[in-house]
Amino acid sequence: MKRVFSGVQPTGNIHLGNYLGALKQFVELQKDYQCVYCIVDMHAITLPQDPKELKEHILDVAALYLAVGVDPQKSIVFVQSDVPGHAELSWILTCSSYMGELSRMTQFKDKSKNRDGESIPTGLFMYPVLMAADILLYDTDLVPVGNDQKQHIEICRDLAGRINGKYPGTFVMPEGYFPQAGARIMALDDPTKKMSKSAENIHSRISLLDEPAKIKKSIMKATTDSDGCVRFDVENKPGVSNLLSIYSSLSGVSIAELEQRYEGRGYGDFKKDLVEITVDALAPIRQRYEEIRYSSELKDILKEGAQKADAIAQQTMKRVRESFGLGL
Ligand code: TYM
C-alpha cells in the first residue's frame, strides 16, 4: 500500500485554509493509502513558543485531526518530537543541503524579514530540511499540503534525488498532492494575502472552532468589490473568487455551477448561503472536537501512534545509516 505523510504545526487558530488545503484531503486519502499524520512541534519551536501553550496546542491539533475524520484505527497519528528519527535524519540531510537553496525559500524570506534588527533563528533557516526529514523518514509517496508548501516539497525532492544519485535506493521519491479548489485560501479581509493563523484581525480567517455568530460576521464582512457579479476572476475579483473557492470546496458544487446559480443575484444572497454552508460544515467538527479534546483516549492514541511511527522510522534510519556509512 502506498504511503501518505503530512503534518500541521501546533500553533493555534487552525483555520479554513488549513482544512481545505490539507486536513480535508487527510481524511479522503485514508481510503486508499496508509496514512501517517504528524503534529510537528519541532517545527513550531523555530519561532518562540510558550511551553505550556505549546503542549496544549499539540493536543488541540490532535483532537482536530480526529474531529475532522482522521481515523486512528486506519491512520497513524503522532507527535513529531516523540520519534527521534526526525531530528537524526534532519542532521544527515543538513549535510547534503546548500545555504543557497535554503536562502531562496520564500517562507524563510517572509518570516525573516521585518525583524527590526533582531537575529534570525537558524531553525527558521533549516525548517525545510526538517520537513524533508519528516517526509523521507516514512518512505512517503504522497504529501497532501496547500500550495504554500510547494517549494518545501521541491527541496525535499531535490535532497532525495541528490542523495539517491550518490547512494542509490536510499529514499523513496515523494510527490506533493494539492487540492483542485482550496489549495490557497486567502484572508477574508485582504484577499491578496493568504489566510493565516497569526494575522491580528480575527475576521481575516474562520477558525475551525468558531461559533456560528462569528462565522457569519466574518463572511458578511469579507472584502468583495463593487460590481456585484458573482464571477471567478482571481486577478480582478480576488475577494469574490476566494469566497467561490471556499463555497465550492465545502459544498462540492463546481465554481461554474455556482456562477450560474448566483447570476444577477448580487453578493447578499451569495454570502448568506455561504454562511449556512460553512456553519453546517464546521458544526459536526466542533462537536466531535469537544467530545475528544479532554478524553483520556487522546494521549493513548498519540502514544500508540508514536510507537507505530517509530517502528517505520527505525527501518528507514537503518538503511540511511548504511548508505552513509555511519556507526558500526
Ligand atoms: P502549517 O501548519 O502552516 O499548515 C498546515 C497545512 O495547511 C496548509 N495551509 C493552507 N492551505 C490553503 N490555504 C491557506 N491559506 C493555507 N494555510 C496553510 C499548509 O499548506 C499545510 O498543508 N510546513 C508545514 C508543516 C509540515 C509538513 C511536514 C507538512 C512540517 N513537516 C511534512 C507536510 C509534510 C506547515 O507549516 O504547515
Side-chain angles (χ1 to χ4, degrees):
M1 211 176 186
K2 290 207 167 198
R3 196 172 281 148
V4 159
F5 179 95
S6 196
V8 173
Q9 292 195 64
T11 40
N13 292 331
I14 304 292
H15 53 67
L16 209 50
N18 301 127
Y19 179 61
L20 299 178
L23 292 166
K24 195 160 166 272
Q25 283 61 250
F26 289 10
V27 180
E28 285 156 16
L29 288 166
Q30 293 182 116
K31 283 200 296 289
D32 302 312
Y33 292 84
Q34 189 199 5
C35 298
V36 183
Y37 297 128
C38 184
I39 299 141
V40 292
D41 55 347
M42 297 203 298
H43 278 101
I45 62 164
T46 55
L47 289 172
Q49 301 291 336
D50 176 272
K52 278 204 189 103
E53 272 178 22
L54 181 59
K55 267 211 192 305
E56 292 303 312
H57 286 327
I58 289 171
L59 295 172
D60 294 345
V61 173
L64 265 178
Y65 275 178
L66 304 184
V68 299
V70 170
D71 178 355
Q73 304 288 339
K74 285 192 198 146
S75 301
I76 298 174
V77 182
F78 75 105
V79 183
Q80 186 186 32
S81 64
D82 283 342
V83 177
H86 292 258
E88 187 182 355
L89 184 55
S90 183
W91 175 252
I92 293 171
L93 297 180
T94 297
C95 298
S96 294
S97 66
Y98 303 130
M99 303 280 283
E101 62 192 353
L102 293 174
S103 312
R104 284 192 292 275
M105 295 288 109
T106 45
Q107 282 211 347
F108 169 70
K109 286 197 255 179
D110 286 350
K111 288 189 179 170
S112 57
K113 73 180 176 205
N114 301 331
R115 293 182 64 86
D116 282 337
E118 237 186 277
S119 299
I120 299 163
T122 315
L124 217 45
F125 188 62
M126 301 312 301
Y127 184 110
V129 179
L130 178 58
M131 178 160 161
D134 298 341
I135 296 167
L136 299 178
L137 193 56
Y138 297 95
D139 290 342
T140 302
D141 298 290
L142 218 55
V143 189
V145 280
N147 273 358
D148 62 340
Q149 299 300 313
K150 261 193 180 151
Q151 235 190 354
H152 289 162
I153 302 288
E154 271 319 300
I155 203 169
C156 173
R157 288 169 55 85
D158 288 348
L159 283 166
R162 191 175 300 155
I163 292 166
N164 281 350
K166 267 196 191 162
Y167 313 123
T170 305
F171 292 122
V172 170
M173 185 61 78
E175 266 181 55
Y177 179 84
F178 308 96
Q180 275 190 329
R184 188 169 172 80
I185 299 298
M186 309 310 281
L188 298 179
D189 62 336
D190 178 358
T192 63
K193 295 194 182 125
K194 70 169 186 176
M195 186 176 282
S196 92
K197 296 171 184 168
S198 56
E200 242 168 66
N201 180 3
I202 58 164
H203 293 296
S204 69
R205 65 182 157 260
I206 292 173
S207 293
L208 289 193
L209 302 175
D210 276 349
E211 304 275 344
K214 153 70 175 61
I215 295 174
K216 184 172 179 193
K217 198 163 177 195
S218 301
I219 291 177
M220 295 319 277
K221 278 166 80 95
T223 303
T224 50
D225 52 55
S226 55
D227 89 353
C229 178
V230 178
R231 188 164 48 81
F232 191 85
D233 175 352
V234 174
E235 204 156 303
N236 299 306
K237 297 168 68 66
V240 173
S241 303
N242 189 40
L243 296 180
L244 272 168
S245 295
I246 295 174
Y247 197 139
S248 168
S249 194
L250 285 176
S251 65
V253 181
S254 74
I255 288 181
E257 216 177 313
L258 290 174
E259 285 176 336
Q260 263 186 5
R261 192 182 290 176
Y262 290 98
E263 207 180 322
R265 285 173 61 192
Y267 299 148
D269 271 3
F270 171 61
K271 280 186 165 181
K272 250 189 249 154
D273 290 352
L274 179 57
V275 170
E276 203 179 304
I277 297 268
T278 311
V279 167
D280 287 352
L282 299 190
I285 295 177
R286 204 153 50 95
Q287 193 191 331
R288 277 199 297 272
Y289 176 87
E290 299 299 337
E291 289 161 14
I292 297 162
R293 174 62 179 81
Y294 296 97
S295 72
S296 56
E297 221 191 343
L298 187 59
K299 283 188 181 167
D300 292 342
I301 289 171
L302 292 173
K303 274 187 211 151
E304 200 180 308
Q307 277 170 8
K308 288 186 190 156
D310 192 46
I312 304 172
Q314 285 197 33
Q315 280 180 11
T316 310
M317 285 315 298
K318 199 164 166 230
R319 197 175 69 229
V320 173
R321 282 195 216 103
E322 205 54 43
S323 286
F324 279 80
L326 294 166
L328 287 178

